[in-house]
mmCIF file of all heavy atoms in Angstrom:
data_model
loop_
_atom_site.group_PDB
_atom_site.id
_atom_site.type_symbol
_atom_site.label_atom_id
_atom_site.label_comp_id
_atom_site.label_asym_id
_atom_site.label_seq_id
_atom_site.Cartn_x
_atom_site.Cartn_y
_atom_site.Cartn_z
ATOM 1 N N ILE A 1302 -3.321 120.956 35.121
ATOM 2 C CA ILE A 1302 -4.282 121.499 36.058
ATOM 3 C C ILE A 1302 -5.018 122.659 35.421
ATOM 4 O O ILE A 1302 -4.339 123.639 34.994
ATOM 5 C CB ILE A 1302 -3.615 121.882 37.413
ATOM 6 C CG1 ILE A 1302 -3.035 120.616 38.060
ATOM 7 C CG2 ILE A 1302 -4.592 122.589 38.323
ATOM 8 C CD1 ILE A 1302 -2.328 120.844 39.339
ATOM 9 N N SER A 1303 -6.338 122.626 35.379
ATOM 10 C CA SER A 1303 -7.114 123.667 34.773
ATOM 11 C C SER A 1303 -7.599 124.661 35.884
ATOM 12 O O SER A 1303 -7.589 124.363 37.071
ATOM 13 C CB SER A 1303 -8.282 123.098 34.018
ATOM 14 O OG SER A 1303 -9.194 122.505 34.945
ATOM 15 N N THR A 1304 -8.133 125.783 35.378
ATOM 16 C CA THR A 1304 -8.788 126.719 36.281
ATOM 17 C C THR A 1304 -9.925 126.036 36.984
ATOM 18 O O THR A 1304 -10.176 126.225 38.193
ATOM 19 C CB THR A 1304 -9.271 127.978 35.524
ATOM 20 O OG1 THR A 1304 -8.156 128.550 34.889
ATOM 21 C CG2 THR A 1304 -9.916 128.960 36.410
ATOM 22 N N TYR A 1305 -10.691 125.237 36.255
ATOM 23 C CA TYR A 1305 -11.823 124.450 36.813
ATOM 24 C C TYR A 1305 -11.396 123.657 37.982
ATOM 25 O O TYR A 1305 -12.041 123.580 39.026
ATOM 26 C CB TYR A 1305 -12.460 123.644 35.712
ATOM 27 C CG TYR A 1305 -13.591 122.766 36.189
ATOM 28 C CD1 TYR A 1305 -14.884 123.281 36.206
ATOM 29 C CD2 TYR A 1305 -13.388 121.477 36.628
ATOM 30 C CE1 TYR A 1305 -15.965 122.531 36.658
ATOM 31 C CE2 TYR A 1305 -14.460 120.705 37.042
ATOM 32 C CZ TYR A 1305 -15.719 121.225 37.057
ATOM 33 O OH TYR A 1305 -16.781 120.455 37.528
ATOM 34 N N THR A 1306 -10.247 122.945 37.803
ATOM 35 C CA THR A 1306 -9.687 122.069 38.847
ATOM 36 C C THR A 1306 -9.300 122.923 40.075
ATOM 37 O O THR A 1306 -9.600 122.528 41.221
ATOM 38 C CB THR A 1306 -8.505 121.282 38.359
ATOM 39 O OG1 THR A 1306 -8.863 120.500 37.253
ATOM 40 C CG2 THR A 1306 -7.934 120.411 39.461
ATOM 41 N N LEU A 1307 -8.696 124.087 39.851
ATOM 42 C CA LEU A 1307 -8.292 124.907 40.953
ATOM 43 C C LEU A 1307 -9.499 125.358 41.780
ATOM 44 O O LEU A 1307 -9.521 125.356 43.031
ATOM 45 C CB LEU A 1307 -7.551 126.172 40.515
ATOM 46 C CG LEU A 1307 -6.112 125.987 39.978
ATOM 47 C CD1 LEU A 1307 -5.574 127.310 39.513
ATOM 48 C CD2 LEU A 1307 -5.236 125.401 41.084
ATOM 49 N N ILE A 1308 -10.560 125.717 41.078
ATOM 50 C CA ILE A 1308 -11.775 126.214 41.743
ATOM 51 C C ILE A 1308 -12.551 125.038 42.437
ATOM 52 O O ILE A 1308 -12.926 125.159 43.600
ATOM 53 C CB ILE A 1308 -12.672 126.927 40.711
ATOM 54 C CG1 ILE A 1308 -12.000 128.205 40.279
ATOM 55 C CG2 ILE A 1308 -14.052 127.199 41.323
ATOM 56 C CD1 ILE A 1308 -12.727 128.893 39.093
ATOM 57 N N ASN A 1309 -12.779 123.964 41.739
ATOM 58 C CA ASN A 1309 -13.634 122.892 42.237
ATOM 59 C C ASN A 1309 -12.940 121.855 43.117
ATOM 60 O O ASN A 1309 -13.556 121.340 44.051
ATOM 61 C CB ASN A 1309 -14.383 122.221 41.090
ATOM 62 C CG ASN A 1309 -15.376 123.167 40.450
ATOM 63 O OD1 ASN A 1309 -16.290 123.635 41.124
ATOM 64 N ND2 ASN A 1309 -15.143 123.531 39.218
ATOM 65 N N LYS A 1310 -11.708 121.541 42.802
ATOM 66 C CA LYS A 1310 -11.010 120.489 43.610
ATOM 67 C C LYS A 1310 -10.193 121.093 44.734
ATOM 68 O O LYS A 1310 -10.140 120.545 45.811
ATOM 69 C CB LYS A 1310 -10.108 119.679 42.707
ATOM 70 C CG LYS A 1310 -9.413 118.545 43.419
ATOM 71 C CD LYS A 1310 -8.594 117.669 42.543
ATOM 72 C CE LYS A 1310 -7.884 116.603 43.341
ATOM 73 N NZ LYS A 1310 -6.922 115.840 42.517
ATOM 74 N N HIS A 1311 -9.589 122.258 44.462
ATOM 75 C CA HIS A 1311 -8.666 122.861 45.462
ATOM 76 C C HIS A 1311 -9.233 124.064 46.182
ATOM 77 O O HIS A 1311 -8.509 124.714 46.961
ATOM 78 C CB HIS A 1311 -7.334 123.200 44.744
ATOM 79 C CG HIS A 1311 -6.679 122.034 44.158
ATOM 80 N ND1 HIS A 1311 -6.042 121.045 44.948
ATOM 81 C CD2 HIS A 1311 -6.517 121.647 42.873
ATOM 82 C CE1 HIS A 1311 -5.540 120.128 44.166
ATOM 83 N NE2 HIS A 1311 -5.824 120.468 42.870
ATOM 84 N N ASN A 1312 -10.508 124.402 45.917
ATOM 85 C CA ASN A 1312 -11.228 125.461 46.565
ATOM 86 C C ASN A 1312 -10.571 126.835 46.446
ATOM 87 O O ASN A 1312 -10.624 127.617 47.376
ATOM 88 C CB ASN A 1312 -11.473 125.116 48.044
ATOM 89 C CG ASN A 1312 -12.311 123.860 48.182
ATOM 90 O OD1 ASN A 1312 -13.308 123.733 47.462
ATOM 91 N ND2 ASN A 1312 -11.863 122.984 49.044
ATOM 92 N N ILE A 1313 -9.957 127.104 45.289
ATOM 93 C CA ILE A 1313 -9.441 128.470 45.008
ATOM 94 C C ILE A 1313 -10.629 129.230 44.434
ATOM 95 O O ILE A 1313 -11.245 128.767 43.454
ATOM 96 C CB ILE A 1313 -8.267 128.431 44.009
ATOM 97 C CG1 ILE A 1313 -7.157 127.454 44.480
ATOM 98 C CG2 ILE A 1313 -7.759 129.834 43.741
ATOM 99 C CD1 ILE A 1313 -6.427 127.894 45.700
ATOM 100 N N SER A 1314 -10.910 130.403 44.967
ATOM 101 C CA SER A 1314 -12.116 131.123 44.510
ATOM 102 C C SER A 1314 -11.906 131.735 43.118
ATOM 103 O O SER A 1314 -10.765 132.014 42.709
ATOM 104 C CB SER A 1314 -12.453 132.258 45.482
ATOM 105 O OG SER A 1314 -11.522 133.286 45.416
ATOM 106 N N SER A 1315 -12.987 131.907 42.428
ATOM 107 C CA SER A 1315 -12.898 132.516 41.093
ATOM 108 C C SER A 1315 -12.371 133.942 41.179
ATOM 109 O O SER A 1315 -11.711 134.431 40.274
ATOM 110 C CB SER A 1315 -14.260 132.454 40.356
ATOM 111 O OG SER A 1315 -15.238 133.129 41.114
ATOM 112 N N SER A 1316 -12.681 134.641 42.271
ATOM 113 C CA SER A 1316 -12.192 136.009 42.415
ATOM 114 C C SER A 1316 -10.669 135.988 42.582
ATOM 115 O O SER A 1316 -9.950 136.915 42.106
ATOM 116 C CB SER A 1316 -12.845 136.723 43.604
ATOM 117 O OG SER A 1316 -12.605 136.085 44.792
ATOM 118 N N THR A 1317 -10.121 134.968 43.219
ATOM 119 C CA THR A 1317 -8.678 134.830 43.397
ATOM 120 C C THR A 1317 -8.040 134.551 42.039
ATOM 121 O O THR A 1317 -6.994 135.136 41.696
ATOM 122 C CB THR A 1317 -8.361 133.741 44.413
ATOM 123 O OG1 THR A 1317 -8.872 134.084 45.682
ATOM 124 C CG2 THR A 1317 -6.876 133.535 44.491
ATOM 125 N N ILE A 1318 -8.672 133.731 41.249
ATOM 126 C CA ILE A 1318 -8.174 133.437 39.876
ATOM 127 C C ILE A 1318 -8.136 134.746 39.067
ATOM 128 O O ILE A 1318 -7.191 135.018 38.374
ATOM 129 C CB ILE A 1318 -9.060 132.393 39.151
ATOM 130 C CG1 ILE A 1318 -9.091 131.084 39.931
ATOM 131 C CG2 ILE A 1318 -8.610 132.195 37.696
ATOM 132 C CD1 ILE A 1318 -7.773 130.328 40.038
ATOM 133 N N HIS A 1319 -9.177 135.538 39.235
ATOM 134 C CA HIS A 1319 -9.271 136.828 38.572
ATOM 135 C C HIS A 1319 -8.099 137.737 38.960
ATOM 136 O O HIS A 1319 -7.453 138.379 38.104
ATOM 137 C CB HIS A 1319 -10.587 137.535 38.881
ATOM 138 C CG HIS A 1319 -10.713 138.874 38.301
ATOM 139 N ND1 HIS A 1319 -11.062 139.134 36.968
ATOM 140 C CD2 HIS A 1319 -10.521 140.128 38.858
ATOM 141 C CE1 HIS A 1319 -11.072 140.423 36.766
ATOM 142 N NE2 HIS A 1319 -10.733 141.040 37.855
ATOM 143 N N ARG A 1320 -7.788 137.773 40.290
ATOM 144 C CA ARG A 1320 -6.686 138.577 40.777
ATOM 145 C C ARG A 1320 -5.370 138.102 40.191
ATOM 146 O O ARG A 1320 -4.517 138.944 39.812
ATOM 147 C CB ARG A 1320 -6.671 138.534 42.293
ATOM 148 C CG ARG A 1320 -7.862 139.224 42.955
ATOM 149 C CD ARG A 1320 -7.780 139.214 44.465
ATOM 150 N NE ARG A 1320 -6.695 140.002 45.009
ATOM 151 C CZ ARG A 1320 -6.724 141.356 45.009
ATOM 152 N NH1 ARG A 1320 -7.753 142.018 44.566
ATOM 153 N NH2 ARG A 1320 -5.726 142.024 45.510
ATOM 154 N N LEU A 1321 -5.178 136.858 40.108
ATOM 155 C CA LEU A 1321 -3.948 136.280 39.497
ATOM 156 C C LEU A 1321 -3.790 136.674 38.030
ATOM 157 O O LEU A 1321 -2.707 137.096 37.587
ATOM 158 C CB LEU A 1321 -3.920 134.743 39.587
ATOM 159 C CG LEU A 1321 -3.679 134.166 40.986
ATOM 160 C CD1 LEU A 1321 -4.008 132.671 40.997
ATOM 161 C CD2 LEU A 1321 -2.238 134.359 41.400
ATOM 162 N N ARG A 1322 -4.853 136.577 37.320
ATOM 163 C CA ARG A 1322 -4.830 136.871 35.895
ATOM 164 C C ARG A 1322 -4.643 138.347 35.571
ATOM 165 O O ARG A 1322 -4.207 138.684 34.479
ATOM 166 C CB ARG A 1322 -6.130 136.382 35.207
ATOM 167 C CG ARG A 1322 -6.164 134.920 35.113
ATOM 168 C CD ARG A 1322 -7.357 134.428 34.295
ATOM 169 N NE ARG A 1322 -7.239 133.004 34.045
ATOM 170 C CZ ARG A 1322 -8.236 132.201 33.733
ATOM 171 N NH1 ARG A 1322 -9.444 132.722 33.684
ATOM 172 N NH2 ARG A 1322 -8.021 130.942 33.522
ATOM 173 N N HIS A 1323 -4.993 139.204 36.519
ATOM 174 C CA HIS A 1323 -4.891 140.640 36.297
ATOM 175 C C HIS A 1323 -3.774 141.272 37.115
ATOM 176 O O HIS A 1323 -3.761 142.477 37.386
ATOM 177 C CB HIS A 1323 -6.226 141.300 36.582
ATOM 178 C CG HIS A 1323 -7.282 140.909 35.580
ATOM 179 N ND1 HIS A 1323 -8.076 139.821 35.791
ATOM 180 C CD2 HIS A 1323 -7.571 141.416 34.383
ATOM 181 C CE1 HIS A 1323 -8.880 139.685 34.731
ATOM 182 N NE2 HIS A 1323 -8.596 140.686 33.856
ATOM 183 N N ASP A 1324 -2.790 140.437 37.493
ATOM 184 C CA ASP A 1324 -1.598 140.917 38.209
ATOM 185 C C ASP A 1324 -1.916 141.797 39.445
ATOM 186 O O ASP A 1324 -1.262 142.797 39.688
ATOM 187 C CB ASP A 1324 -0.669 141.721 37.246
ATOM 188 C CG ASP A 1324 -0.125 140.834 36.151
ATOM 189 O OD1 ASP A 1324 0.117 139.621 36.421
ATOM 190 O OD2 ASP A 1324 0.032 141.341 35.031
ATOM 191 N N GLN A 1325 -2.935 141.389 40.160
ATOM 192 C CA GLN A 1325 -3.302 142.055 41.432
ATOM 193 C C GLN A 1325 -2.663 141.281 42.592
ATOM 194 O O GLN A 1325 -2.260 140.121 42.421
ATOM 195 C CB GLN A 1325 -4.770 142.169 41.555
ATOM 196 C CG GLN A 1325 -5.409 142.989 40.419
ATOM 197 C CD GLN A 1325 -6.911 142.992 40.467
ATOM 198 O OE1 GLN A 1325 -7.531 142.186 41.142
ATOM 199 N NE2 GLN A 1325 -7.508 143.931 39.764
ATOM 200 N N GLY A 1326 -2.619 141.891 43.739
ATOM 201 C CA GLY A 1326 -2.020 141.259 44.928
ATOM 202 C C GLY A 1326 -2.702 140.011 45.353
ATOM 203 O O GLY A 1326 -3.940 139.859 45.281
ATOM 204 N N VAL A 1327 -1.919 139.052 45.846
ATOM 205 C CA VAL A 1327 -2.410 137.820 46.433
ATOM 206 C C VAL A 1327 -1.652 137.546 47.701
ATOM 207 O O VAL A 1327 -0.621 138.125 47.968
ATOM 208 C CB VAL A 1327 -2.253 136.614 45.431
ATOM 209 C CG1 VAL A 1327 -3.128 136.807 44.242
ATOM 210 C CG2 VAL A 1327 -0.822 136.398 45.047
ATOM 211 N N THR A 1328 -2.144 136.698 48.535
ATOM 212 C CA THR A 1328 -1.510 136.364 49.811
ATOM 213 C C THR A 1328 -0.374 135.406 49.634
ATOM 214 O O THR A 1328 -0.326 134.610 48.687
ATOM 215 C CB THR A 1328 -2.546 135.810 50.829
ATOM 216 O OG1 THR A 1328 -2.985 134.513 50.348
ATOM 217 C CG2 THR A 1328 -3.763 136.720 51.018
ATOM 218 N N THR A 1329 0.501 135.378 50.626
ATOM 219 C CA THR A 1329 1.579 134.410 50.596
ATOM 220 C C THR A 1329 0.985 133.000 50.853
ATOM 221 O O THR A 1329 1.564 132.038 50.348
ATOM 222 C CB THR A 1329 2.620 134.688 51.699
ATOM 223 O OG1 THR A 1329 1.974 134.888 52.970
ATOM 224 C CG2 THR A 1329 3.411 135.971 51.343
ATOM 225 N N GLN A 1330 -0.122 132.934 51.551
ATOM 226 C CA GLN A 1330 -0.785 131.625 51.731
ATOM 227 C C GLN A 1330 -1.258 131.065 50.396
ATOM 228 O O GLN A 1330 -1.057 129.874 50.136
ATOM 229 C CB GLN A 1330 -2.000 131.736 52.655
ATOM 230 C CG GLN A 1330 -2.703 130.422 52.931
ATOM 231 C CD GLN A 1330 -1.809 129.376 53.555
ATOM 232 O OE1 GLN A 1330 -1.229 129.676 54.603
ATOM 233 N NE2 GLN A 1330 -1.709 128.202 52.991
ATOM 234 N N LEU A 1331 -1.766 131.911 49.520
ATOM 235 C CA LEU A 1331 -2.180 131.431 48.197
ATOM 236 C C LEU A 1331 -0.960 130.982 47.414
ATOM 237 O O LEU A 1331 -1.008 129.874 46.766
ATOM 238 C CB LEU A 1331 -2.910 132.524 47.410
ATOM 239 C CG LEU A 1331 -3.226 132.156 45.971
ATOM 240 C CD1 LEU A 1331 -4.216 130.966 45.924
ATOM 241 C CD2 LEU A 1331 -3.677 133.339 45.197
ATOM 242 N N ILE A 1332 0.130 131.682 47.470
ATOM 243 C CA ILE A 1332 1.354 131.295 46.772
ATOM 244 C C ILE A 1332 1.814 129.936 47.277
ATOM 245 O O ILE A 1332 2.159 129.072 46.516
ATOM 246 C CB ILE A 1332 2.448 132.367 46.893
ATOM 247 C CG1 ILE A 1332 2.000 133.649 46.220
ATOM 248 C CG2 ILE A 1332 3.760 131.845 46.349
ATOM 249 C CD1 ILE A 1332 2.858 134.841 46.518
ATOM 250 N N ASP A 1333 1.772 129.761 48.585
ATOM 251 C CA ASP A 1333 2.132 128.441 49.228
ATOM 252 C C ASP A 1333 1.236 127.374 48.724
ATOM 253 O O ASP A 1333 1.676 126.278 48.324
ATOM 254 C CB ASP A 1333 2.089 128.598 50.728
ATOM 255 C CG ASP A 1333 2.530 127.333 51.404
ATOM 256 O OD1 ASP A 1333 3.696 126.907 51.195
ATOM 257 O OD2 ASP A 1333 1.762 126.792 52.223
ATOM 258 N N ASP A 1334 -0.070 127.643 48.695
ATOM 259 C CA ASP A 1334 -1.073 126.652 48.221
ATOM 260 C C ASP A 1334 -0.832 126.251 46.756
ATOM 261 O O ASP A 1334 -0.871 125.070 46.436
ATOM 262 C CB ASP A 1334 -2.511 127.160 48.402
ATOM 263 C CG ASP A 1334 -2.912 127.304 49.811
ATOM 264 O OD1 ASP A 1334 -2.254 126.735 50.718
ATOM 265 O OD2 ASP A 1334 -3.932 128.025 50.048
ATOM 266 N N LEU A 1335 -0.580 127.263 45.935
ATOM 267 C CA LEU A 1335 -0.329 126.987 44.505
ATOM 268 C C LEU A 1335 0.931 126.137 44.331
ATOM 269 O O LEU A 1335 0.967 125.251 43.460
ATOM 270 C CB LEU A 1335 -0.256 128.260 43.715
ATOM 271 C CG LEU A 1335 -1.522 129.034 43.544
ATOM 272 C CD1 LEU A 1335 -1.296 130.391 42.873
ATOM 273 C CD2 LEU A 1335 -2.535 128.222 42.696
ATOM 274 N N CYS A 1336 1.952 126.417 45.105
ATOM 275 C CA CYS A 1336 3.200 125.666 45.032
ATOM 276 C C CYS A 1336 2.950 124.176 45.389
ATOM 277 O O CYS A 1336 3.442 123.280 44.747
ATOM 278 C CB CYS A 1336 4.289 126.224 45.920
ATOM 279 S SG CYS A 1336 5.008 127.756 45.279
ATOM 280 N N LYS A 1337 2.115 123.957 46.383
ATOM 281 C CA LYS A 1337 1.761 122.584 46.794
ATOM 282 C C LYS A 1337 0.930 121.905 45.669
ATOM 283 O O LYS A 1337 1.199 120.779 45.318
ATOM 284 C CB LYS A 1337 0.971 122.603 48.080
ATOM 285 C CG LYS A 1337 1.854 122.935 49.263
ATOM 286 C CD LYS A 1337 1.056 123.010 50.524
ATOM 287 C CE LYS A 1337 1.904 123.514 51.708
ATOM 288 N NZ LYS A 1337 1.099 123.761 52.892
ATOM 289 N N ILE A 1338 -0.077 122.625 45.200
ATOM 290 C CA ILE A 1338 -0.941 122.022 44.155
ATOM 291 C C ILE A 1338 -0.135 121.722 42.872
ATOM 292 O O ILE A 1338 -0.281 120.657 42.324
ATOM 293 C CB ILE A 1338 -2.077 123.046 43.794
ATOM 294 C CG1 ILE A 1338 -3.028 123.177 45.014
ATOM 295 C CG2 ILE A 1338 -2.851 122.591 42.557
ATOM 296 C CD1 ILE A 1338 -3.984 124.375 44.910
ATOM 297 N N LEU A 1339 0.742 122.620 42.464
ATOM 298 C CA LEU A 1339 1.466 122.462 41.246
ATOM 299 C C LEU A 1339 2.784 121.748 41.408
ATOM 300 O O LEU A 1339 3.524 121.517 40.425
ATOM 301 C CB LEU A 1339 1.713 123.857 40.600
ATOM 302 C CG LEU A 1339 0.460 124.631 40.234
ATOM 303 C CD1 LEU A 1339 0.812 126.016 39.785
ATOM 304 C CD2 LEU A 1339 -0.286 123.902 39.098
ATOM 305 N N ASP A 1340 3.138 121.430 42.677
ATOM 306 C CA ASP A 1340 4.388 120.756 42.958
ATOM 307 C C ASP A 1340 5.559 121.488 42.313
ATOM 308 O O ASP A 1340 6.338 120.983 41.504
ATOM 309 C CB ASP A 1340 4.396 119.312 42.518
ATOM 310 C CG ASP A 1340 5.591 118.510 43.019
ATOM 311 O OD1 ASP A 1340 6.123 118.854 44.076
ATOM 312 O OD2 ASP A 1340 5.997 117.593 42.298
ATOM 313 N N CYS A 1341 5.698 122.803 42.723
ATOM 314 C CA CYS A 1341 6.737 123.636 42.154
ATOM 315 C C CYS A 1341 7.291 124.586 43.214
ATOM 316 O O CYS A 1341 6.855 124.575 44.334
ATOM 317 C CB CYS A 1341 6.153 124.435 40.981
ATOM 318 S SG CYS A 1341 4.966 125.669 41.460
ATOM 319 N N ASN A 1342 8.312 125.329 42.820
ATOM 320 C CA ASN A 1342 8.927 126.317 43.684
ATOM 321 C C ASN A 1342 8.306 127.665 43.492
ATOM 322 O O ASN A 1342 7.749 127.950 42.397
ATOM 323 C CB ASN A 1342 10.453 126.400 43.434
ATOM 324 C CG ASN A 1342 11.143 125.100 43.746
ATOM 325 O OD1 ASN A 1342 10.937 124.476 44.762
ATOM 326 N ND2 ASN A 1342 12.025 124.692 42.819
ATOM 327 N N VAL A 1343 8.454 128.543 44.468
ATOM 328 C CA VAL A 1343 7.885 129.899 44.378
ATOM 329 C C VAL A 1343 8.346 130.603 43.144
ATOM 330 O O VAL A 1343 7.562 131.219 42.394
ATOM 331 C CB VAL A 1343 8.265 130.706 45.639
ATOM 332 C CG1 VAL A 1343 7.872 132.153 45.474
ATOM 333 C CG2 VAL A 1343 7.648 130.109 46.867
ATOM 334 N N GLU A 1344 9.595 130.513 42.827
ATOM 335 C CA GLU A 1344 10.149 131.203 41.629
ATOM 336 C C GLU A 1344 9.614 130.685 40.293
ATOM 337 O O GLU A 1344 9.748 131.325 39.287
ATOM 338 C CB GLU A 1344 11.696 131.204 41.646
ATOM 339 C CG GLU A 1344 12.318 129.840 41.629
ATOM 340 C CD GLU A 1344 12.568 129.249 43.001
ATOM 341 O OE1 GLU A 1344 12.091 129.736 43.988
ATOM 342 O OE2 GLU A 1344 13.337 128.254 43.033
ATOM 343 N N ASP A 1345 8.932 129.540 40.373
ATOM 344 C CA ASP A 1345 8.311 128.995 39.153
ATOM 345 C C ASP A 1345 7.009 129.702 38.831
ATOM 346 O O ASP A 1345 6.529 129.648 37.708
ATOM 347 C CB ASP A 1345 8.041 127.491 39.276
ATOM 348 C CG ASP A 1345 9.336 126.686 39.387
ATOM 349 O OD1 ASP A 1345 10.380 127.120 38.822
ATOM 350 O OD2 ASP A 1345 9.325 125.629 40.066
ATOM 351 N N ILE A 1346 6.402 130.359 39.832
ATOM 352 C CA ILE A 1346 5.116 130.949 39.623
ATOM 353 C C ILE A 1346 5.019 132.456 39.816
ATOM 354 O O ILE A 1346 4.102 133.125 39.384
ATOM 355 C CB ILE A 1346 4.026 130.289 40.469
ATOM 356 C CG1 ILE A 1346 4.325 130.416 41.971
ATOM 357 C CG2 ILE A 1346 3.765 128.876 40.091
ATOM 358 C CD1 ILE A 1346 3.212 129.934 42.861
ATOM 359 N N ILE A 1347 6.068 133.049 40.488
ATOM 360 C CA ILE A 1347 6.070 134.513 40.637
ATOM 361 C C ILE A 1347 7.447 135.061 40.247
ATOM 362 O O ILE A 1347 8.414 134.391 40.228
ATOM 363 C CB ILE A 1347 5.743 134.946 42.058
ATOM 364 C CG1 ILE A 1347 6.765 134.476 43.056
ATOM 365 C CG2 ILE A 1347 4.336 134.496 42.463
ATOM 366 C CD1 ILE A 1347 6.569 135.014 44.468
ATOM 367 N N LYS A 1348 7.408 136.335 39.899
ATOM 368 C CA LYS A 1348 8.600 137.038 39.514
ATOM 369 C C LYS A 1348 8.590 138.427 40.118
ATOM 370 O O LYS A 1348 7.539 139.116 40.021
ATOM 371 C CB LYS A 1348 8.690 137.154 37.999
ATOM 372 C CG LYS A 1348 9.885 137.857 37.448
ATOM 373 C CD LYS A 1348 9.873 137.840 35.930
ATOM 374 C CE LYS A 1348 10.162 139.174 35.371
ATOM 375 N NZ LYS A 1348 10.117 139.217 33.903
#
């Protein structure tokens, strides 16, 4: 899954991608959405 796919297929905003890449705060809803998209557990994407 690419950044392009997250933005265009899953409607994750580019500003949200920026926040993720720069270790800024994100919502628990986004974490939930990413887990669904990536078919993974929370601990696989955050620490």
Side-chain angles (χ1 to χ4, degrees):
I1302 296 177
S1303 66
T1304 301
Y1305 178 87
T1306 302
L1307 288 178
I1308 294 169
N1309 292 298
K1310 183 178 178 188
H1311 299 288
N1312 299 315
I1313 306 292
S1314 71
S1315 58
S1316 62
T1317 299
I1318 301 295
H1319 176 82
R1320 294 181 67 74
L1321 287 167
R1322 287 188 170 157
H1323 292 91
D1324 297 325
Q1325 298 175 343
V1327 294
T1328 66
T1329 53
Q1330 181 61 53
L1331 175 65
I1332 295 168
D1333 184 59
D1334 291 345
L1335 289 173
C1336 286
K1337 289 176 186 173
I1338 293 166
L1339 299 171
D1340 188 30
C1341 66
N1342 296 316
V1343 172
E1344 59 271 14
D1345 294 330
I1346 59 173
I1347 63 173
K1348 177 177 135 182

